[in-house]
Amino acid sequence: MNEHLRALLLAVVVVNTVLALTTFAIWFERKFAGRMQSRLGPTRVGPFGLLQPVADAFKLMQKESIRPRQADRVLFELAPLLGATCALGAAAVVPLAPGVAPAQLDLGLLFVLAIGAVTVLPIFIAGWSSNNKFALLGGMRAIAQSISYEVPLLLAALVPIVLTGSMDLSEIVRQQAEGRWLAVWPFFLGLPAFAIFLLAMLAESNRIPFDIPEAESELVAGVTTEYTGMKFALFYLAEYAHTLIASALAAALFLGGWDGPIAPGLHWLLLKTFVLFGFIYWVRWSLLRFRSDQLLSICWRWLVPAGVALVAGAGAWVAWGPTP
Amino acid sequence: MTVDIAFWVAAAAMVISALFVVRSANLVHAVLWLAVTLLGTAVVFALLDAPFLAGVQVLTYVGGVVTLMVFGVMLTQRHDGSVASASNVQSLRGAAAAALLFTLLLVALLRSDLPSSAESLAPDTAELARTLLDEHLIAFEVLSLLLLAALVGAVALARRGDDERGASGLPRARPRARGEAE
């Protein structure tokens, strides 16, 4: 029983840490966006507006919880919960420090990719059960986008698997800590794979410039159109948590995870995660939305062939490249 | 002990959700129940010490196949927006066929000499890869070729439909999606 209790405690700690980081990430984005647009961002609540996410949470909790009469009752209520569960589940295997990960799985990367593949279902359920044209269109677009970008994402994730010969995230990071980061050497394989991974992750998390599923100027708010209060907040949290965990994963796969001099591993992981997170928001606030056909053409004409070539290249590198 | 309880919970969830798959009048509900059934299969794989199979099951079936089916259901909606309902007209004959298949599989399984405990199997991922891509490489490649041929065939069929019918009322910006609807 002790073992189960420990697992439960660990889960509570990890989920709450991710949620706390996520609220901070929302503050970070608002400040960041403000600076990019020559504004100050939130300043009123707490020092530097640091308590703004708390105020937002209280505001959302007070809102009335509305369910459209024609909505599919069970699925409508279930979708936000499933969405948050899928987004947070991936946090379980991110290696935090040498030998430390919430759950040590031999197939950790496969676990993350499997959860990532399921993440689109809650979005679709939300879109369909709302019984609203805009929500439905948003759900359709989310699925079209997600099944397309699943392919380059898997191909890009295969490159570190082939290069390190392991699907255990801790092992992948350990090998990078002992040798070189995969984005540094072999850079001609690591860097493009890193770029494809980031792009596909961006697309999977429905962020600008890949945000056609919620395109607020066309679809009101896409799948979240009918959601209010905490149910909306759960979607919002899930989206940010997904981006945050995706950044941590990219850092673990290509940038050596917890590897770094002097400071403890966790600090390095957080630093890398937030640099990547900042980069994603830099892109988000700089670019415009792609059209659906552009989106699919980028995926199938460029990312998928490049991904296949990279996997083949990684195989060749392992077979005939110089031994480390 | 824990494994036993987990197995029976997963098994019960699979059977119940499978019943809902064939009994629900709404196609979208049926597909979502199917997702539950497939997740149950993944849990059983995981309990049998086959984590790789469990992961791939979730990745391809729940993540891929169910998503594609949902996509298909959505695109075959009637144009007034209502969802095409699943008919249960053939349910008796369907039940008979299912019972027959079940008996057949049960007899085959009981007569086979497959090991009944997980410990004796438990191949790790590397072993699995060697078996698939070394021992059975030809069969594996032929299978991939077959799937590719099916894919090309599906696209060709969908394309031929395009020329005859022209715009089918679906969004123009997504030609690939239209192909999947046929």
Side-chain angles (χ1 to χ4, degrees), chain A residues 227-293:
Chain A
Y227 283 92
T228 56
M230 279 316 279
K231 276 181 274 181
F232 171 75
L234 274 180
F235 275 115
Y236 200 62
L237 267 181
E239 195 179 299
Y240 278 84
H242 184 273
T243 314
L244 202 63
I245 294 169
S247 308
L249 272 178
L253 282 178
F254 297 99
L255 299 180
W258 40 255
D259 179 40
I262 310 168
L266 189 58
H267 294 198
W268 280 104
L269 181 70
L270 281 180
L271 179 71
K272 288 169 191 172
T273 305
F274 268 96
V275 166
L276 282 179
F277 191 75
F279 174 77
I280 288 174
Y281 282 95
W282 184 21
V283 172
R284 175 178 177 186
W285 290 94
S286 309
L287 294 182
L288 299 171
R289 183 180 308 136
F290 289 129
R291 273 195 335 254
S292 319
D293 59 325

Side-chain angles (χ1 to χ4, degrees), chain A residues 77-93:
Chain A
E77 303 286 346
L78 201 61
L81 295 180
L82 283 179
T85 312
C86 286
L88 290 171
V93 289

Side-chain angles (χ1 to χ4, degrees), chain A residues 288-302:
Chain A
L288 299 171
R289 183 180 308 136
F290 289 129
R291 273 195 335 254
S292 319
D293 59 325
Q294 290 173 329
L295 192 91
L296 293 181
S297 132
I298 293 172
C299 175
W300 292 107
R301 296 222 175 103
W302 298 101

Side-chain angles (χ1 to χ4, degrees), chain A residues 4 72 75 106-107 110-111 113-118 120-121 124-125 128 136-137 139-141 143-144 146-147 150 154 167 212 292-294 296-297 300-301, chain B residues 2 26 28-29 32 35 39 50-56 58-60 62-64 66-68 70-71 74-75 77 81 83 125 171 173-177 180:
Chain A
H4 297 293
D72 189 307
L75 289 180
D106 290 344
L107 299 170
L110 184 68
F111 174 81
L113 294 173
I115 285 196
V118 181
V120 69
L121 274 181
F124 159 75
I125 294 175
W128 184 79
L136 189 62
L137 276 174
M140 296 279 294
R141 289 183 181 190
I143 291 190
S146 186
I147 48 178
E150 194 70 34
L154 290 180
M167 282 177 122
I212 57 160
S292 319
D293 59 325
Q294 290 173 329
L296 293 181
S297 132
W300 292 107
R301 296 222 175 103
Chain B
T2 327
N26 187 318
V28 174
H29 286 173
L32 292 175
L39 268 180
F52 184 78
L53 270 186
V56 170
V58 175
L59 190 66
T60 51
V62 187
V66 168
T67 312
L68 269 180
V70 160
F71 208 59
M74 309 280 299
L75 285 174
Q77 267 193 0
V83 181
T125 313
R174 227 186 284 135
R176 274 189 196 81
E180 271 147 21

Side-chain angles (χ1 to χ4, degrees), chain B residues 97-115:
Chain B
L100 204 67
L101 184 66
F102 179 74
T103 325
L104 199 70
L105 286 176
L106 196 67
V107 170
L109 274 178
L110 285 180
R111 285 197 182 167
S112 73
D113 52 353
L114 287 174

Side-chain angles (χ1 to χ4, degrees), chain A residues 2 41 77 120 153 164 192 206 218 248 265 292 297 322:
Chain A
N2 231 345
E77 303 286 346
V120 69
L153 183 76
T164 59
N206 303 326
E218 305 161 28
S292 319
S297 132

